[in-house]
Amino acid sequence: MTNKKKRQRGSRTHGGGSHKNRRGAGHRGGRGAAGRDKHEFHQHEPLGKHGFTRPPKTQDEVVTVDVRTLDEDAPLLAADGLAEEDGDGYRIDARDVVEDGHEADVVKVLGSGQVRGELTLVADDFSESAREKVEAAGGSVELSERAQADADDEAAETDDEA
């Protein structure tokens, strides 16, 4: 079997059609993103800006952790001193478990996975499914002091407006 290079020895254009083809960038409609708003517009994203970006100081950095991770790692976390044994179950503060949890604005527990053990979880926020799964397994969820303070501040603001 011969390779393509050898097969095309002696051929003037090596399969490129007429000798006028493949001369420069004009044969392919320009170089790079040329023509993105004219003849090649269907191959590119729309031009212009759209949407709105909130200022960074108003955005909260949210770090998440799944209940599956907390449930599976509870004995290991207790051995490392990051969780406390509480009767039949464990008491876990999500900020201690998550990487950079104490620097984050909000630590949220999500409901991915199963909960088999009895857990008492402390975090800034919980998804509905996480709350249901923990309570169905006989555990409980508590808002952290930081979340309680934020809720009290919001309540005070709504009282002031009324």
Side-chain angles (χ1 to χ4, degrees):
M1 185 172 160
T2 60
N3 63 11
K4 191 172 185 181
K5 194 177 205 179
K6 283 200 173 169
R7 270 199 325 267
Q8 292 179 338
R9 293 276 192 226
S11 165
R12 181 175 173 198
T13 57
H14 287 253
S18 167
H19 71 284
K20 297 176 182 179
N21 297 345
R22 294 186 173 176
R23 275 204 171 141
H27 180 64
R28 61 179 188 262
R31 289 190 172 90
R36 67 165 300 170
D37 58 339
K38 295 199 180 272
H39 58 278
E40 291 179 6
F41 63 92
H42 52 279
Q43 299 172 2
H44 297 277
E45 293 286 324
L47 290 169
K49 297 179 181 179
H50 64 281
F52 176 76
T53 303
R54 293 176 63 208
K57 65 181 182 181
T58 62
Q59 297 178 14
D60 287 338
E61 180 190 352
V62 180
V63 180
T64 61
V65 62
D66 293 327
V67 289
R68 173 194 338 105
T69 306
L70 296 174
D71 183 50
E72 290 174 355
D73 295 346
L76 300 173
L77 295 170
D80 291 342
L82 297 174
E84 303 169 11
E85 288 198 43
D86 186 27
D88 295 338
Y90 295 94
R91 180 179 177 82
I92 303 172
D93 187 347
R95 278 195 184 275
D96 296 336
V97 177
V98 179
E99 187 175 331
D100 296 332
H102 291 282
E103 283 81 38
D105 295 323
V106 177
V107 176
K108 184 171 184 174
V109 178
L110 302 179
S112 177
Q114 294 181 339
V115 179
R116 293 188 175 93
E118 189 176 313
L119 300 176
T120 301
L121 299 180
V122 180
D124 298 328
D125 197 11
F126 296 91
S127 68
E128 283 299 315
S129 59
R131 191 180 299 266
E132 290 168 5
K133 288 179 182 182
V134 170
E135 290 173 352
S140 63
V141 296
E142 300 174 9
L143 288 177
S144 65
E145 294 175 10
R146 193 180 293 193
Q148 289 285 355
D150 289 345
D152 293 343
D153 291 344
E154 288 181 17
E157 286 179 15
T158 55
D159 290 343
D160 292 341
E161 291 174 6

